[in-house]
Amino acid sequence: MLAAVATFALEGVRPQEVTVEVDERRGLPTFTLVGLPDRAIRESRERVRAALLNSGLDFPQKRLTVNLAPAHVRKAGPSFDLAIAVGVLAASGQVPADELAECALAGELSLSGELRPVRGALNAALGARRAGYRRLLVPEANAPEAALVEGIDVSAIPSLTRLADLLHGRWQPEPTEPAVRDPDEPLPEGPDLADVRGQADAKRAIEIAAAGGHNLLMVGPPGAGKTMIARRLPGILPPPSFEEALEITQVHSAAGIGDGRLAAMRPFRAPHHTISAQGLVGGGTRPLAGEITLAHRGVLFLDELPEFARAAVDALRQPLEEGRVEITRGQRTLEFPANAIVVAACNRCPCARPPDRCACTALELARYQRRLSGPLVDRIDLVCQVEAVPAVELVGRTEASRVTSDVVRARVMAARKRQLVRLAGSGVLCNGDMDGRLTRSQVPLDDALTDRLLAGRGRLPLSGRGHDRVLRVARTIADLNSRDRLLESDLDEALSYRLDTWDRVAA
Ligand SMILES: Nc1ncnc2c1ncn2[C@@H]1O[C@H](COP(=O)(O)OP(=O)(O)O)[C@@H](O)[C@H]1O
Ligand SMILES: [Mg+2]
């Protein structure tokens, strides 16, 4: 008999429907898997056999052929076990096939027949709903995550025995509660901006970065608090919307780093500077998400930016420009979402001492700063200098104003709302994502403002891209002040966050 069971493979983070066809016929007992299976799937043959027998079900002594179609989709991981086992049951007449036609399944089997959780349950649920399945059968540990998808009935299955019972109509699982957070449950607590002493300029810069979605570079000596400030960026960004949280959860579920619940916070990823280009943007023969994708809708922090391999940093070009990563493997192109705010940090110079005690030669300085050019730095709108806070201030008990992350987040959200309204229909959501053309149409300058900008240019040369960066940042500063029109002071402040200002200081 022939049976067909639907399941889903992951291509990047996208669910791709796979049909498991099982043919059972008389002949020498064999169990053949075809359809480009990787080693995990060949191993799944052994798990399926043991799981069926240990569940008191029959493993047919027949010629069994299993085909995973379509053949061109690369299939990886153990999540096909369940569909293969159920295909064998249906082909050998041990469960009714009609009930299966409206179901999709995903799950790994243990040798005893228990179901083990798999990656990408949320992605599979989205795929199953899109493909029109009425029901998704998944391991218990995956069910709350899959149930985040409305419009498809998600059933939590503990074991193969239970699944056979369900298909025979002898057992019904409890309805699955989706893994959303209770609205009354407080958000997971992140580090607070109020912990940072002094550093008014850097706090202002990170607020602007959050408000406009701008990439930020902090330049300063070790111990100044750069890492500390960067870690506080997710806490001042607006909490993710439901749609954004679904995107974050899909990425993390596919990568196997989710906690099985809907993401309540934006991610913060801080890869070490020894990371490869592949680790940063994704790839490999069986492509995996890179750090920029794991940071999707959140923050990617690159500490000690000049220490990163040039190739790794340059590989960020496409994600920074397009908010996604494309990886081509043979005939197929995988796509990973990759829209994150990049925060980078570095020392002012290789010796990292204060300017008056700097021991670097001009050549060393030039070499260090040359490493700070290229596609990433081109996309950094804000550069801010951070000096170490004197020890007395760090231990001092009182401080005039300690603004909390809650207060800053409220200002950021108000500024974001203004951008959403103004940018409606433009394809971008915040000032930091505007390209050059959109920037110039969105931030018109009158004569007085043009003069001001030219005066700023007079002091320092400003490239075309530098010009756009200043306009974008000035626009966000005005948004933070709830103003439609730019003031000269907005331009002045924006002009102060430029890399060439730092060049001059360093030279
Ligand atoms: N402005 C600051 N306010 C409070 N603590 C600070 C500040 N700057 C540095 N520190 C302390 O010093 C530690 C090191 O700071 P860090 O953020 O790692 O500096 P950097 O990344 O600039 O080298 C922090 O964990 C914190 O305890
Ligand atoms: Mg640091």
Side-chain angles (χ1 to χ4, degrees):
M1 209 160 102
L2 185 67
V5 179
T7 185
F8 285 84
L10 282 172
E11 285 202 307
V13 301
R14 196 176 50 204
Q16 174 70 45
E17 186 171 356
V18 169
T19 305
V20 177
E21 298 169 329
V22 181
D23 179 61
E24 187 217 60
R25 58 188 60 228
R26 265 200 283 273
L28 275 181
T30 53
F31 188 16
T32 316
L33 265 174
V34 294
L36 263 195
D38 77 348
R39 190 157 85 224
I41 295 176
R42 272 175 268 147
E43 288 168 0
S44 114
R45 201 166 50 182
E46 303 310 319
R47 285 195 298 272
V48 166
R49 192 198 311 266
L52 283 169
L53 293 172
N54 288 326
S55 303
L57 296 155
D58 186 29
F59 189 84
Q61 291 301 306
K62 301 269 182 67
R63 229 178 82 189
L64 284 175
T65 308
V66 178
N67 179 33
L68 305 190
H72 63 78
V73 173
R74 259 198 109 90
K75 301 154 200 96
S79 70
F80 304 95
D81 287 1
L82 186 61
I84 295 171
V86 171
V88 171
L89 289 177
S92 55
Q94 298 181 73
V95 296
D98 47 343
E99 180 66 21
L100 277 173
E102 296 192 306
C103 296
L105 306 95
E108 177 182 342
L109 286 172
S110 73
L111 298 185
S112 66
E114 310 278 293
L115 266 56
R116 291 213 173 112
V118 292
R119 295 177 176 197
L122 174 60
N123 315 52
L126 289 163
R129 178 181 66 183
R130 195 174 321 131
Y133 290 99
R134 192 177 55 77
R135 188 170 207 181
L136 179 69
L137 309 175
V138 288
E140 277 180 324
N142 288 132
E145 179 187 300
L148 289 167
V149 179
E150 285 178 9
I152 182 162
D153 179 12
V154 172
S155 299
I157 311 292
S159 66
L160 209 46
T161 320
R162 275 290 183 234
L163 182 55
D165 288 345
L166 177 123
L167 294 173
H168 280 293
R170 296 192 293 250
W171 175 74
Q172 275 298 325
E174 296 285 312
T176 308
E177 289 295 321
V180 283
R181 261 162 224 278
D182 189 329
D184 299 329
E185 190 182 339
L187 285 178
E189 221 167 286
D192 201 286
L193 213 53
D195 306 336
V196 181
R197 306 234 163 181
Q199 303 301 17
D201 289 355
K203 286 190 205 167
R204 172 71 174 164
I206 200 113
E207 179 172 342
I208 297 171
H214 301 282
N215 301 324
L216 168 72
L217 171 66
M218 285 183 281
V219 183
K226 301 183 298 293
T227 303
M228 201 181 171
I229 292 166
R231 287 198 178 276
R232 283 155 179 77
L233 178 53
I236 60 171
L237 287 167
S241 67
F242 182 74
E243 285 307 315
E244 287 176 319
L246 272 185
E247 289 177 23
I248 298 168
T249 311
Q250 275 183 83
V251 165
H252 291 188
S253 176
I257 60 170
D259 66 353
R261 301 182 69 180
L262 186 66
M265 284 289 280
R266 295 177 183 274
F268 179 89
R269 303 288 304 184
H272 190 253
H273 58 70
T274 50
I275 194 170
S276 64
Q278 188 173 311
L280 202 54
V281 301
T285 43
R286 201 188 298 149
L288 294 175
E291 287 291 332
I292 183 76
T293 293
L294 300 179
H296 180 60
R297 300 285 176 212
V299 178
L300 177 67
F301 179 49
L302 305 177
D303 205 357
E304 316 286 353
L305 178 62
E307 305 295 327
F308 281 74
R310 188 64 202 232
V313 177
D314 286 355
L316 287 170
R317 176 194 300 273
Q318 188 195 32
L320 289 172
E321 279 174 5
E322 301 173 18
R324 66 201 172 88
V325 176
E326 263 183 16
I327 296 168
T328 305
R329 285 287 168 279
Q331 306 288 313
R332 318 225 1 127
T333 301
L334 302 192
E335 199 182 298
F336 290 96
N339 191 333
I341 299 181
V342 177
V343 178
C346 67
N347 294 318
R348 197 188 56 85
C349 65
C351 81
R353 278 191 281 248
D356 50 334
R357 288 192 286 127
C358 175
C360 299
T361 65
L363 189 70
E364 283 168 337
L365 256 183
R367 193 181 300 142
Y368 189 76
Q369 294 188 355
R370 231 190 350 262
R371 281 194 253 155
L372 289 176
S373 59
L376 171 61
V377 176
D378 272 351
R379 298 287 309 177
I380 289 181
D381 287 350
L382 291 157
V383 178
C384 105
Q385 296 190 54
V386 188
E387 295 307 331
V389 171
V392 281
E393 278 187 45
L394 285 186
V395 294
R397 293 194 120 193
T398 51
E399 202 174 330
S401 65
R402 296 283 282 279
V403 181
T404 63
S405 290
D406 285 346
V407 170
V408 176
R409 192 187 327 111
R411 298 199 291 243
V412 165
M413 288 171 72
R416 288 258 176 159
K417 202 175 265 173
R418 297 178 64 84
Q419 294 166 61
L420 269 185
V421 173
R422 189 177 56 245
L423 292 166
S426 70
V428 302
L429 304 176
C430 57
N431 296 332
D433 286 345
M434 299 192 296
D435 62 12
R437 250 183 57 202
L438 192 59
T439 304
R440 271 160 269 157
S441 72
Q442 284 284 331
V443 195
L445 297 182
D446 60 19
D447 288 348
L449 288 172
T450 309
D451 287 349
R452 192 67 163 215
L453 192 57
L454 287 174
R457 267 169 180 264
R459 273 184 273 129
L460 300 161
L462 196 57
S463 65
R465 276 180 192 271
H467 180 263
D468 295 338
R469 284 202 287 267
V470 169
L471 294 187
R472 280 197 291 268
V473 172
R475 185 57 261 171
T476 299
I477 293 169
D479 283 327
L480 273 169
N481 288 310
S482 315
R483 277 193 265 97
D484 289 332
R485 290 180 50 80
L486 291 197
L487 298 184
E488 292 180 358
S489 58
D490 300 333
L491 277 182
D492 291 344
E493 188 181 354
L495 279 162
S496 71
Y497 298 114
R498 288 162 52 203
L499 189 61
D500 40 14
T501 323
W502 171 47
D503 282 348
R504 197 183 45 166
V505 173

